[in-house]
Each structure stands twice: as structure tokens, then as C-alpha cells.
């Protein structure tokens, strides 16, 4: 069968190619650029725990080390850094910063004049004391290591390092056998028929390419979206931010800071700081929605005032890179037209109030990869499977955009939701804090409760701590061959069938693998209409002993059963692949016994 064509070689397109290659699907990645990523330390990405885990499963840890990035170290920082020292000071608002700087901005993220901010600076030292201090609770080491309430803190990573690592992983075995990356190849035509897609490129490779499917991951100005005639409505300039990447010492090593309403002159409404490797920090200032360009002098003034307000005087710092970026909120009307799909910024733009566009783009890639792989390898009803991509992902992103747009008037201008949220201003601040931490309406990983792939009304289904369609808990698991690890580390290539079996941690594997319900469950899993791996766990939140979980390849729960019910499990598996469910005969579960 023809390969999958991916248009665009940003993080989303490259991640999708790697995820498809892991499932033996050949791909062609059409890169309009030269295959080189500009070194921009100020352009960074924030990945939640689920998307950071997805990137790690794509075998990027080694590639990131080759890029000179301390990926292993970041795994620790990820748990510590965004346990925000949220400092929602009640001090009067500082004056809005004036001006905007001329110079380089973040690639693809420019102000209305098409300009960014000042270039690199040097080592500077200043003196003085700000009128206020950062206040707020400081998480202890144990709490910081695990995140707030057990939620791992997000991972902060320079985007050029992430893209470089993905490229390196694609160039190495086994992906190199299945993926071709073609640079300087701009798409200018797209045609579809019942059997596939034809894409024409000009530039270095001026020719027609044939594919089974095509995915547009080509950014906010997506050519694929335009060729498909899909509208891209939404809001322009929802928020603006000035950014600086610098090296200095702040009072909170390894922690990120979100300071609302800082009291010093020029502090504006909000400033945040996130730690980077090698003593680096990224500082973001929320700018007025519309205003003059930030000058280099004004940006340096913001840096000095902020460092003085946090440290008491201005510590020595080295200014490495700066930028100005504008947040837009847009959502494509459709994410699929026959054999063509949209993902990432080609399908949606968001980023206000702590939401993360790249995070959502990587979720698009993870969601679409296993479905395209299922259709590519063959299935009796792939249309439902492929339709579920838009049904799940567009609905989830639309809900995120609605939540951000509803909260913006209250958080940025007063009024609005303030009367509807408990705790007044503190409740609104908590909403913003949760967004940055990857929790709540604005930050938590999405669930797909109404997905067409979620089986309904199964007679033997039971409720557990995870609702159908929601992301599963990352519990320790053991495979029948004795391999142990975490549940989420096994995601990506197949469905997972997980048996909750207390005692397996202390029993010898030779005994439990052939005892109780295990032989019947193993036989059932082998006969399922989808590729599936059998695992066992000592316990799962809200699940009784001998509960059986069916987990999708992207880590969302499909169904849970009280005991081993082969017919019900088979029905759920058929639904998961997009096929019509079997009849659901009544059956008695296997007698429960500790395996």
C-alpha cells in the first residue's frame, strides 16, 4: 500500500512520522524548509506529563542527549520545575510597560508589524530594590518531586532541541527504514480519489507523490488546509507576551514562578519564569492586548525591574535571546476530508492562560497515529476509526478554547466569570495556576467520553477510578514474561489488557502466570480482533481484584470488566477498531481466584 504523506516537519509532523514508523507504516515527510532548525533559546515548549511521556516513547531520550540537552536531568526537573511558586500578590497592579522592541521575534510568532524583539545582550549587573517581594507557599522537596497532589509538573524544553531530537530519531534505525524526509519540497496541489491521495511538490523535488493518506502538519498558514477548502475561524491577538531567555540565579532553583500583579513599576499584570538547563531561565511578561512595539531598552528595563523585585537587587545576568509573540485562538471547521487530515497548528491555534498549542498538537499525533496504522494495515470498518479522530480531538480542543475564552474577561479585565467561581479572585488565580500545572479545564489531559470507539451498555462493564475515554492511571505493571515497568511506558503499539491481580508482586511468576484466570484471559487476548498486550498490576484506583481493563494505544480507557468475560472483551475490542459490535450474550464470569 502507498505510504502516508506528512506535510510539515515541525515537532507534530516529525512525532507523527515516528509514531507511525513504530507501527510499521511507511511515511514521506515533506519539509518546505532546508531541514535545519534555527537556534532560538527563547522559543521553548511546555509539555505536560502525558505528552512528555509520548515524546520519550518515540525514542527521543538518546537523540536529545546527542543534541547536548540533559534529557535525563530534565526528567527530574519536570517533576520539580512547574510546582509553581504561585505568588498571587494582592498588591496594586504595576504600570503597563510601554513600547515594544524592534528586532528578531520568535519564528512564526510575530507582532502585528511583523517584528519581534531585541537580539542577544551581554553580562550586566545593576542595583536597587523593588517595592515588593514574591510571597506564597514553598513546596517541600518531597512535594516538589512528585508535583502538586501527585501530578507531575510539566517539562520545559527548547523547541529547536525537541525538533532536532525528533529528526535524529527519524534518521536512526528502525525509523530510517520506513520514513523519508524530503527537504525544500513545497506542496502546491492535492488530489484525492477512492484509493488514495496525490500530492504535488515544487522546489527540490518537483513531482507528484502518491499516498494512502495525507496529514497536514504545516502550521497556522497550512497549505493543506487551504487546498482542502477548510475554513479557519477564530480570534486574533488574544494575548501578547514579551520573552527573554537569560542566565542568572533566582531564589527558586528548579522551580517555575507565576507572579500575578507584581507591585513594581512596569511589572504589568503577570510575569512568569521557568528554569532551563545550564542556569538558564525563560521569563514571560503579559503585554497589553494592543500597544506600541517593545523597544530593546524597555525590555531590558522589564528584566531589571523583575529581577530586582524578586531578588532585592539586580543580580548579574546574561541576556541570550528575546522575542515577542502573539496568541491567536482558531479552530478549523473540519479536521478530515476523505483521506486528508489536519493536525497541530494547521487544525487549531491556542495558547492563552497557560494552554499549550504544541501539547495539543502532540496529542493529535498520538491520537491519529494508531488509527491511521489500523486503517493502513487493514480493517473491516476503518471509516468509523478514522472519523473518531476529529470527533475526539476537535471536541477536546474546542472545549479548551471555550474555557479559555470564557475565563479571559475575568482574569484579564475584571467581571465575567468572577461571580461564578468560588473564592472570587483567588478562585480565578487557582484556575490559572491549574492551567500552568496541567490540571483543570485549561490544563488537564483530555477525555473522550462520547467517542464512537467507547463501547456502550456492556452488560459486564464496571466503574473504576478512570471513566471510559479518560487517560488511565500510570500504575506499575508486569508482563507474563516477567518484564516490569509503568503502564504508560507500554503505550503506542497496541491495545493493553490489564488484569488487577493482588499478590503478583510477591508470587513467583512461574506460579501466577498459569494460575486462576490468567490462562483463560491470555487465550482471550490472543484471539482479540486487535493487537493487544496482556499485563497485570497489583492495584488500580477504584478497581476491585480481578477487574480487567481494556486500554487504547494512546492511553485512554476503553472499558473495564468485573472478571474475565471473553465475549464482552471481544465486543469492546471490535468497537475500538471501529467495527460494528458483536451481540453481547449473557455469560457468567470465571470464578475469581488469586493468580
Amino acid at each position: 500500500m502507498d505510504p502516508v504523506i506528512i506535510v510539515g516537519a515541525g515537532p507534530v509532523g516529525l512525532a507523527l512520522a515516528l509514531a507511525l514508523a513504530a507501527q510499521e507504516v511507511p511515511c514521506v515527510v515533506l519539509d518546505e524548509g532546508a531541514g535545519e532548525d534555527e537556534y532560538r533559546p527563547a522559543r521553548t515548549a511546555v509539555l505536560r506529563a502525558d505528552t512528555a511521556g509520548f515524546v520519550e516513547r518515540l525514542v527521543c531520550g538518546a537523540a536529545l542527549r546527542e543534541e547536548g540537552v540533559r534529557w535525563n536531568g530534565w526528567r527530574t526537573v519536570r517533576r520539580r520545575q512547574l510546582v509553581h511558586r504561585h505568588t498571587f500578590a494582592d498588591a496594586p497592579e504595576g504600570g503597563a510597560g510601554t513600547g515594544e522592541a524592534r528586532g528578531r521575534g520568535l519564528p512564526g510568532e510575530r507582532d502585528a508589524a511583523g517584528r519581534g524583539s531585541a537580539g542577544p545582550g551581554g553580562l550586566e549587573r545593576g542595583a536597587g530594590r523593588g517595592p515588593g517581594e514574591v510571597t506564597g507557599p514553598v513546596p517541600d522537596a518531597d512535594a516538589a518531586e512528585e508535583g502538586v497532589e501527585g501530578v507531575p509538573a510539566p517539562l520545559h524544553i527548547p523547541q529547536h532541541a525537541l525538533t532536532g531530537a525528533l529528526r535524529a530519531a527519524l534518521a536512526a534505525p528502525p525509523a530510517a527504514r520506513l520514513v523519508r524526509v524530503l527537504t525544500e519540497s513545497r506542496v502546491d496541489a492535492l488530489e484525492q480519489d477512492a484509493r488514495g491521495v496525490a500530492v504535488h511538490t515544487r522546489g527540490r523535488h518537483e513531482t507528484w507523490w502518491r499516498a494512502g493518506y495525507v496529514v497536514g502538519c504545516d502550521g497556522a498558514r497550512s497549505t493543506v488546509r487551504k487546498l482542502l477548502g477548510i475554513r479557519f475561524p477564530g480570534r486574533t491577538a488574544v494575548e501578547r507576551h514579551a520573552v527573554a531567555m537569560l542566565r542568572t540565579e533566582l531564589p527558586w532553583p528548579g522551580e517555575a514562578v507565576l507572579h500575578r500583579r507584581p507591585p513594581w513599576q512596569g511589572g504589568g499584570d503577570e510575569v512568569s519564569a521557568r528554569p532551563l538547563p545550564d542556569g538558564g531561565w525563560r521569563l514571560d511578561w503579559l503585554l497589553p492586548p494592543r500597544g506600541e512595539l517593545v523597544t530593546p531598552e524597555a525590555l531590558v528595563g522589564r528584566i531589571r525591574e523583575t529581577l530586582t523585585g524578586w531578588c532585592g537587587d539586580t543580580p548579574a545576568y546574561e541576556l541570550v535571546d528575546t522575542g515577542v509573540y502573539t496568541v491567536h485562538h482558531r479552530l478549523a471547521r473540519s479536521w478530515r476530508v476523505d483521506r486528508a487530515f489536519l493536525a497541530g497548528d494547521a487544525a487549531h491555534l491556542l495558547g492563552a492562560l497557560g494552554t499549550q498549542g504544541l501539547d495539543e498538537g502532540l496529542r493529535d499525533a498520538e491520537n491519529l497515529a494508531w488509527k491511521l496504522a489500523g486503517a493502513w494495515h487493514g480493517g473491516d470498518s476503518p471509516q468509523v476509526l478514522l472519523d473518531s479522530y476529529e470527533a475526539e480531538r476537535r471536541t477536546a480542543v474546542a472545549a479548551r478554547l471555550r474555557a479559555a475564552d470564557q475565563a479571559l474577561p475575568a482574569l484579564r479585565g475584571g467581571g465575567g466569570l468572577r461571580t461564578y467561581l468560588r473564592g472570587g479572585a483567588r478562585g480565578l488565580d487557582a484556575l490559572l495556576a491549574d492551567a500552568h500545572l496541567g490540571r483543570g479545564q485549561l490544563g488537564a489531559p483530555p477525555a473522550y467520553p462520547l467517542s464512537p470507539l467507547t463501547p456502550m451498555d456492556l452488560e459486564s462493564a464496571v466503574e473504576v477510578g478512570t471513566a471510559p475515554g479518560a487517560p488511565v492511571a500510570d500504575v506499575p505493571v508486569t508482563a507474563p514474561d516477567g518484564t516490569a515497568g509503568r503502564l504508560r511506558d507500554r503505550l503506542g503499539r497496541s491495545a493493553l489488557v490489564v488484569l488487577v491481580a493482588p499478590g503478583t508482586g510477591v508470587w513467583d511468576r512461574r506460579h501466577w502466570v498459569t494460575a486462576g484466570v490468567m490462562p483463560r484471559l491470555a487465550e482471550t487476548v490472543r484471539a482479540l480482533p486487535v493487537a493487544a498486550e496482556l499485563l497485570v498490576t497489583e492495584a488500580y484506583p477504584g478497581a476491585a481484584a480481578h477487574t480487567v481493563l481494556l486500554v487504547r494505544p494512546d492511553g485512554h480507557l476503553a472499558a473495564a470488566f468485573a472478571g474475565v468475560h471473553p465475549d464482552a472483551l471481544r465486543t469492546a475490542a471490535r468497537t475500538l477498531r471501529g467495527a460494528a459490535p458483536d451481540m453481547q450474550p449473557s455469560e457468567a464470569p470465571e470464578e475469581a481466584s488469586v493468580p
Side-chain angles (χ1 to χ4, degrees):
M1 185 175 175
D2 293 324
V4 173
I5 286 181
I6 298 169
V7 182
V12 175
L14 298 175
L16 177 59
L18 278 169
L20 287 169
Q23 301 186 68
E24 297 294 318
V25 177
C27 302
V28 175
V29 180
L30 301 177
D31 184 357
E32 181 180 335
E36 299 177 355
D37 302 296
E38 184 182 9
Y39 177 74
R40 292 304 309 274
R43 190 181 191 189
T44 60
V46 179
L47 304 183
R48 313 302 192 199
D50 63 316
T51 50
F54 173 53
V55 170
E56 289 190 78
R57 290 194 298 276
L58 297 177
V59 199
C60 288
L64 279 168
R65 285 192 291 275
E66 291 296 321
E67 290 285 315
V69 177
R70 299 176 184 172
W71 179 255
N72 283 340
W74 281 1
R75 292 201 61 181
T76 300
V77 171
R78 179 182 61 159
R79 286 183 146 84
R80 299 180 64 88
Q81 69 157 351
L82 231 67
V83 180
H84 279 60
R85 181 187 289 262
H86 286 291
T87 58
F88 304 118
D90 291 322
E93 296 183 5
T98 59
E100 270 183 36
R102 306 172 191 270
R104 292 196 314 163
L106 301 182
E109 298 177 320
R110 303 271 178 166
D111 55 40
R115 291 171 292 204
S117 63
L123 187 68
E124 298 191 30
R125 179 179 292 275
R129 182 173 181 81
E133 294 184 358
V134 176
T135 60
V138 182
D140 60 31
D142 292 337
E145 183 65 22
E146 292 302 323
V148 176
E149 296 179 6
V151 178
L155 166 69
H156 200 212
I157 177 173
Q159 188 161 317
H160 67 264
L162 173 61
T163 306
L166 292 165
R167 288 187 188 275
L170 283 171
R177 175 175 57 86
L178 291 159
V179 180
R180 295 178 63 192
V181 180
L182 303 175
T183 59
E184 300 176 11
S185 300
R186 179 178 177 80
V187 172
D188 62 359
L190 186 155
E191 298 177 358
Q192 299 194 64
D193 57 41
R195 294 182 295 177
V197 186
V199 174
H200 185 266
T201 57
R202 58 184 175 86
R204 190 177 188 184
H205 301 277
E206 189 161 345
T207 186
W208 283 94
W209 303 89
R210 185 70 180 177
Y213 301 94
V214 63
V215 185
C217 302
D218 47 343
R221 298 179 179 178
S222 170
T223 299
V224 173
R225 187 185 65 240
K226 293 173 184 176
L227 291 173
L228 294 173
I230 297 174
R231 293 182 58 207
F232 198 38
R235 300 174 58 199
T236 300
V238 176
E239 287 187 346
R240 291 190 311 142
H241 294 259
V243 181
M245 188 277 177
L246 50 86
R247 293 189 179 94
T248 189
E249 291 186 8
L250 292 182
W252 320 281
E255 293 181 357
V257 178
L258 173 62
H259 198 162
R260 292 265 286 154
R261 298 180 292 277
W264 54 83
Q265 178 68 27
D269 286 339
E270 186 177 299
V271 58
S272 64
R274 293 186 175 93
L276 293 170
D278 300 322
W281 290 88
R282 168 170 163 161
L283 273 62
D284 288 65
W285 293 268
L286 179 66
L287 299 175
R290 289 174 177 79
E292 300 175 0
L293 295 176
V294 174
T295 64
E297 294 77 12
L299 185 58
V300 170
R302 283 179 180 269
I303 293 171
R304 290 178 174 174
E305 290 164 357
T306 300
L307 295 180
T308 300
W310 284 342
C311 303
D313 56 19
T314 306
Y317 69 91
E318 177 189 2
L319 181 58
V320 179
D321 192 20
T322 61
V324 172
Y325 69 93
T326 302
V327 174
H328 309 286
H329 278 183
R330 295 188 179 276
L331 185 66
R333 290 289 190 189
S334 175
W335 290 23
R336 180 191 178 196
V337 177
D338 299 326
R339 290 175 172 267
F341 299 81
L342 300 178
D345 286 353
H348 51 75
L349 295 176
L350 70 166
L353 304 183
T355 58
Q356 299 294 330
L358 179 55
D359 239 11
E360 297 298 342
L362 291 172
R363 287 173 180 142
D364 296 343
E366 186 175 25
N367 186 287
L368 182 58
W370 68 272
K371 297 171 181 179
L372 276 180
W376 193 90
H377 286 295
D380 51 3
S381 184
Q383 296 309 311
V384 174
L385 181 65
L386 296 178
D387 284 342
S388 71
Y389 167 66
E390 178 176 326
E392 292 177 354
R393 291 299 303 141
R394 189 179 186 279
T395 299
V397 173
R400 193 87 79 201
L401 284 170
R402 279 195 302 272
D405 285 344
Q406 289 170 355
L408 270 167
L411 282 163
R412 298 297 188 235
L417 290 181
R418 188 176 297 273
T419 58
Y420 298 98
L421 295 177
R422 292 182 179 179
R426 292 289 177 178
L428 290 167
D429 288 338
L431 180 71
L432 181 61
D434 281 348
H436 282 276
L437 287 166
R439 305 184 301 180
Q441 282 182 297
L442 300 179
Y448 311 125
L450 301 179
S451 168
L453 306 184
T454 300
M456 300 294 181
D457 303 322
L458 290 172
E459 189 173 307
S460 52
V462 294
E463 293 184 359
V464 295
T466 301
V472 293
D474 191 20
V475 296
V477 293
T478 305
D481 65 1
T483 305
R486 307 291 301 187
L487 190 154
R488 298 197 67 86
D489 292 338
R490 316 291 289 207
L491 299 174
R493 300 193 181 190
S494 67
L496 304 177
V497 177
V498 183
L499 172 66
V500 180
T504 51
V506 296
W507 281 46
D508 189 289
R509 183 186 65 86
R510 293 173 299 174
H511 299 301
W512 62 255
V513 78
T514 58
V517 302
M518 278 296 292
R520 186 184 184 203
L521 182 57
E523 180 182 356
T524 300
V525 171
R526 286 192 294 269
L528 289 179
V530 296
E533 180 183 14
L534 176 59
L535 302 168
V536 296
T537 184
E538 287 266 5
Y540 188 88
H546 311 111
T547 298
V548 175
L549 310 174
L550 177 61
V551 181
R552 298 167 22 149
D554 58 357
H556 291 253
L557 182 67
F561 306 96
V564 179
H565 297 261
D567 288 342
L569 188 56
R570 189 160 42 247
T571 294
R574 282 181 55 79
T575 304
L576 187 58
R577 69 180 295 183
D582 290 330
M583 296 299 292
Q584 301 168 20
S586 300
E587 56 174 300
E590 181 86 359
E591 286 296 322
S593 59
V594 177

